[in-house]
């Protein structure tokens, strides 16, 4: 499973924010290609699809009069098969953060047309030649706030590993991504020296926590559900899942300290017929007001610098991109994982199969 | 001049040809959407001109272990399904109209529910603080919660639940086909009910048992979501490794080799099941 595949929020809360779309600057030279009656956008589905529709798709449909049809799930293998077959069904697809480089390498994506998609105010982390960075999210530490009261929860991975001070069943993802980083941080490696990952050291540290992990989770809904059911009292998980629980007043809190930041990316499959309208959709998605609307519901914040100012003040500290959170977290090194992912996964599988 | 026997034979042959023509569309469809891709898959696994992918898939202890484990779990699921399904099918074949309606409803209702939804339902039921453990604790039967989930037992429970109808229906169908006069005759000749069942009904139901076992076994080997969720990461099936290779690492040749090994293992065990049940029928 790619990092992003199952990050589905289940939010149904009705937001009271009015769609205040900004008019689009007409960047495209000459006359645009004829309008199709629909474009197909493939993303993670679930609550995320609902919010994509309410914020960006609705605005795109209003501006261009082209219907947006959404499909799911995100599937890198399918993207490759589609492009190879020469007839991509998707106009735009979400891509797992760690797959962007590989997609580019395999020539699966159309380049981003910056004469249509205005990224001039985006930070460097938000500019990619072949992918539009939709938002940022983070793998963070979730905890039962009735077990760890008044901020007495573990902060950082050394404390997550400390089973004497913080007793109780735990859950980690059944995947090497994030876990190798967290193990090194628990072992005292500073955040800026994680990469290149020393796998021997990371797995040695994982050996220590292994007996205390009652569940190795595989879909994003699991850690949230297990915390709610008290199956475990500590779990890693995607910040949006914990954000959603907090909004529903479930006794679950989350800690951004040493969280693992990643970006959620979208691309246009090479050879798709409506590529131009895919670029136009990205332009709509740069709109900070719409990004704020999306972030308010899901906590996955877009990278436009003005987005935070449109988000309600009580929500801001819960966004992974809030300045106070940004400085306590690290960006997952996608390059390292692209190069070493298969090797790490095989070692992980072996490690999981060791008995005891 | 042809003799009447010859013409009868020709007619018979013509009828056979006509009947075969009826099967052609289905065969073509299978050939195009199944056999051809399988061959392509086989070809992909040796794309680089060596057998390196197969070497890794069959000699590396990780993949061997996982394959062995998958077969073991599939066999356990098959055995449990058989033990549970046979009495149900037997009861259904003897039940009245309302009994059959009720039984079918109970079997088919979960059958039509998404596997994912059912799997999550098990998470709620079997968890440490789940419904089952709470009942047992309230009844004073246990002190500490039973580990029903996130291990092999969780996977078995979930898979048996999903696959049970595949075992019940073939057995039920073959039980229905048995002439009730046969067991009546056996009993009329003085055989007690258990002996009439053992010597008459059960052997005659073996084709259904064989079909059910083969179906459940083959489907079990390909299971993916249920073991991933209910196994808590501790149970790895070959299909999960294939999925990793296809979706995450795009190593399709290696995935193809793993799939081929799985396919061969499945066919071998399928043949074995057929042979065992055929042997039992003739015994």
């Amino acid at each position: 499973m790619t990092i992003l595949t199952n990050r589905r929020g289940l939010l149904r809360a009705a937001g009271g924010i009015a769609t205040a779309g900004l008019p689009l600057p007409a960047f495209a030279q000459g006359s645009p290609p004829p309008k199709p009656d629909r474009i197909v956008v493939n993303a993670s589905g679930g609550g995320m699809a609902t919010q994509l529709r309410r914020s960006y798709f609705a605005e795109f449909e209003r501006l261009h009069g082209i219907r947006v049809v959404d499909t799911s799930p995100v599937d890198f293998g399918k993207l490759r098969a589609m492009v190879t077959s020469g007839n991509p069904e998707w106009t735009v697809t979400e891509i797992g953060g760690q797959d962007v480089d590989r997609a580019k390498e395999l020539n699966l994506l159309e380049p981003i047309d910056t004469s249509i998609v205005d990224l001039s105010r985006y930070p460097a982390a938000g500019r990619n030649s072949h992918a539009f960075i939709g938002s940022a999210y983070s793998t963070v530490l979730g905890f039962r706030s009735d077990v760890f009261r008044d901020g007495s929860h573990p902060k950082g991975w050394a404390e997550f590993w400390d089973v004497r001070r913080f007793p109780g069943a735990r859950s980690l993802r059944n995947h090497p991504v994030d876990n190798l980083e967290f193990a090194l941080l628990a072992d005292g490696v500073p955040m800026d020296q994680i990469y290149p990952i020393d796998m021997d050291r990371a797995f040695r540290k994982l050996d220590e926590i292994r007996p205390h992990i009652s569940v190795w989770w595989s879909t994003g809904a699991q850690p949230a559900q297990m915390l709610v059911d008290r199956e475990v009292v500590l779990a890693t998980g995607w910040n949006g899942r914990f954000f959603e629980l907090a909004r529903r007043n479930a006794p679950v809190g989350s800690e951004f300290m040493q969280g693992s930041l990643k970006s959620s990316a979208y691309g246009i499959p090479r050879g798709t017929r409506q590529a131009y309208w895919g670029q136009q959709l990205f332009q709509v998605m740069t709109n900070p007001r719409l990004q704020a609307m999306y972030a308010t519901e899901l906590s996955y914040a877009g990278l436009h610098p003005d987005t935070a100012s449109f988000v309600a003040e009580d929500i801001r500290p819960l966004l992974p991109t809030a300045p106070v959170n940004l400085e306590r977290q690290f960006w997952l090194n996608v390059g390292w994982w692209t190069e070493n992912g298969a090797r790490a996964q095989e070692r992980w599988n072996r490690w999981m199969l060791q008995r005891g | 001049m042809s003799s009447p026997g010859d013409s009868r034979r020709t007619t018979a042959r013509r009828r056979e040809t006509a009947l075969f023509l009826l099967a052609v569309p289905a065969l073509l469809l299978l050939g195009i959407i199944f056999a051809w891709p399988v061959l392509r898959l086989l070809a992909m696994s040796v794309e680089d001109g060596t057998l390196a992918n197969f070497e890794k898939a069959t000699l590396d202890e990780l993949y061997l272990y996982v394959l062995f484990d998958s077969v073991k779990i599939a066999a356990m699921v098959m055995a449990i399904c058989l033990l549970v399904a046979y009495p149900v099918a037997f009861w259904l074949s003897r039940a009245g109209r309302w009994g059959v309606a009720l039984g079918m409803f109970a079997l088919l209702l979960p059958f039509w529910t998404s596997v994912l939804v059912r799997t999550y339902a098990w998470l709620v039921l079997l968890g440490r603080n789940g419904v089952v453990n709470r009942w047992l604790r309230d009844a004073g039967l246990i002190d500490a919660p039973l580990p029903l989930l996130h291990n092999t037992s969780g996977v078995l429970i979930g898979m048996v639940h999903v696959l049970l109808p595949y075992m019940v229906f073939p057995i039920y169908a073959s039980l229905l086909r048995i002439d009730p006069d046969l067991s009546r005759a056996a009993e009329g000749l003085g055989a007690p009910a258990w002996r009439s069942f053992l010597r008459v009904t059960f052997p005659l139901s073996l084709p259904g048992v064989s079909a059910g076992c083969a179906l459940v076994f083959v489907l079990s080997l390909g299971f993916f979501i249920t073991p991933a969720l209910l196994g808590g990461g501790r149970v790895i099936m070959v299909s999960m490794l294939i999925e990793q290779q296809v979706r995450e690492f795009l190593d399709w040749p290696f995935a193809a080799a793993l799939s081929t090994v799985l396919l061969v293992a499945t066919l071998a065990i399928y043949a074995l099941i057929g042979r065992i049940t055929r042997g039992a029928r003739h015994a």
Side-chain angles (χ1 to χ4, degrees), chain B residues 91-106:
Chain B
W91 169 71
L92 273 177
S93 73
R94 300 286 189 278
R97 205 146 54 99
W98 284 106
V100 172
L102 185 77
M104 288 289 171
F105 182 72

Side-chain angles (χ1 to χ4, degrees), chain A residues 1-3 5-6 8 73-78 80-81 84 98-99 102 106 108 169 173-175 177 210 213-222 225-226 229-232 341-343 345-346 348-350 352-353 355, chain B residues 47 56 60-63 65-66 69 72 116 120 123-130 133-134 146 149-152 224-225 227-236 240-241 243-254:
Chain A
M1 250 162 261
T2 53
I3 328 184
T5 316
N6 291 297
R8 260 165 274 180
V74 175
D75 189 327
F76 194 44
K78 200 169 166 184
R80 182 182 171 186
T84 314
Q98 66 171 356
D99 292 331
R102 263 186 313 167
L106 291 165
L108 300 179
R173 184 176 176 202
N174 183 14
H175 203 287
V177 160
R210 180 189 178 114
I213 303 299
S214 63
V215 185
W216 298 92
W217 58 267
S218 49
T219 74
Q222 271 179 296
Q225 191 59 46
M226 287 187 299
D229 295 342
R230 280 201 73 157
E231 188 79 23
V232 298
R343 202 162 54 88
Q345 179 71 57
E346 201 169 89
W348 179 267
N349 289 344
R350 271 179 226 287
M352 285 303 290
L353 285 173
R355 298 295 151 177
Chain B
E47 210 175 44
K56 191 172 167 194
D60 188 310
E61 63 173 349
L62 167 67
Y63 299 100
Y65 185 91
V66 170
D69 226 27
K72 199 174 76 187
L116 200 60
Y120 269 97
L123 289 175
V124 175
L125 288 174
L126 300 178
R128 279 159 48 86
N129 302 297
N133 269 317
R134 219 172 310 147
L146 292 175
L149 205 60
H150 307 304
N151 50 29
T152 309
F224 166 68
I225 277 288
L229 283 175
L230 299 181
R234 290 185 182 83
V235 179
I236 304 186
M240 291 151 86
L241 293 186
E243 195 257 32
Q244 266 176 14
Q245 294 301 330
V246 170
R247 270 200 1 182
E248 220 169 318
F249 305 119
L250 296 188
D251 190 347
W252 291 2
F254 183 52

Side-chain angles (χ1 to χ4, degrees), chain B residues 132-145:
Chain B
V132 173
N133 269 317
R134 219 172 310 147
W135 277 351
L136 291 174
R137 224 172 326 170
D138 289 350
L141 293 171
I142 51 168
D143 300 323

Side-chain angles (χ1 to χ4, degrees), chain B:
Chain B
M1 282 295 278
S2 57
S3 69
D6 270 355
S7 83
R8 213 178 305 140
R9 232 171 290 146
T10 330
T11 323
R13 206 172 300 146
R14 228 177 263 152
R15 256 190 50 207
E16 230 170 74
T17 320
L19 283 175
F20 175 74
L21 282 177
L22 282 178
V24 165
L27 287 176
L28 267 179
L29 190 70
L30 266 182
I32 294 166
I33 68 169
F34 181 71
W36 176 241
V38 166
L39 284 176
R40 288 266 311 266
L41 192 76
L42 248 174
M44 201 188 275
S45 60
V46 289
E47 210 175 44
D48 54 358
T50 70
L51 291 174
N53 283 320
F54 280 100
E55 229 165 85
K56 191 172 167 194
T58 53
L59 296 178
D60 188 310
E61 63 173 349
L62 167 67
Y63 299 100
L64 264 183
Y65 185 91
V66 170
L67 185 68
F68 181 74
D69 226 27
S70 311
V71 171
K72 199 174 76 187
I73 285 177
M76 280 154 84
V77 170
M78 183 184 81
I80 299 170
C81 272
L82 182 59
L83 287 178
V84 177
Y86 202 98
V88 175
F90 192 77
W91 169 71
L92 273 177
S93 73
R94 300 286 189 278
R97 205 146 54 99
W98 284 106
V100 172
L102 185 77
M104 288 289 171
F105 182 72
L107 273 169
L108 285 175
L109 195 65
F111 196 54
W112 288 328
T113 315
S114 136
V115 174
L116 200 60
V117 170
R118 280 191 275 172
T119 303
Y120 269 97
W122 282 119
L123 289 175
V124 175
L125 288 174
L126 300 178
R128 279 159 48 86
N129 302 297
V131 178
V132 173
N133 269 317
R134 219 172 310 147
W135 277 351
L136 291 174
R137 224 172 326 170
D138 289 350
L141 293 171
I142 51 168
D143 300 323
L146 292 175
L148 297 170
L149 205 60
H150 307 304
N151 50 29
T152 309
S153 61
V155 174
L156 289 178
I157 294 172
M159 284 175 70
V160 165
H161 180 227
V162 173
L163 292 169
L164 198 60
Y166 294 94
M167 187 67 95
V168 172
F169 288 122
I171 298 178
Y172 172 60
S174 71
L175 283 170
L176 276 188
R177 274 200 303 270
I178 301 172
D179 187 346
D181 286 344
L182 290 175
S183 46
R184 249 174 258 150
E187 277 159 47
L189 290 170
W194 64 268
R195 177 163 298 182
S196 130
F197 171 78
L198 228 58
R199 298 293 296 270
V200 179
T201 312
F202 183 70
L204 285 171
S205 70
L206 278 176
V209 170
S210 165
C213 284
L215 256 178
V216 168
F217 185 85
V218 169
L219 289 173
S220 297
L221 270 182
F223 253 57
F224 166 68
I225 277 288
T226 309
L229 283 175
L230 299 181
R234 290 185 182 83
V235 179
I236 304 186
M237 303 277 281
V238 179
S239 50
M240 291 151 86
L241 293 186
I242 296 174
E243 195 257 32
Q244 266 176 14
Q245 294 301 330
V246 170
R247 270 200 1 182
E248 220 169 318
F249 305 119
L250 296 188
D251 190 347
W252 291 2
F254 183 52
L258 277 175
S259 310
T260 310
V261 170
L262 178 63
L263 182 67
V264 170
T266 309
L267 288 176
I269 293 161
Y270 182 76
L272 195 71
I273 293 173
R275 175 160 291 192
I276 291 171
T277 44
R278 227 175 304 128
R281 224 181 309 159
H282 293 308

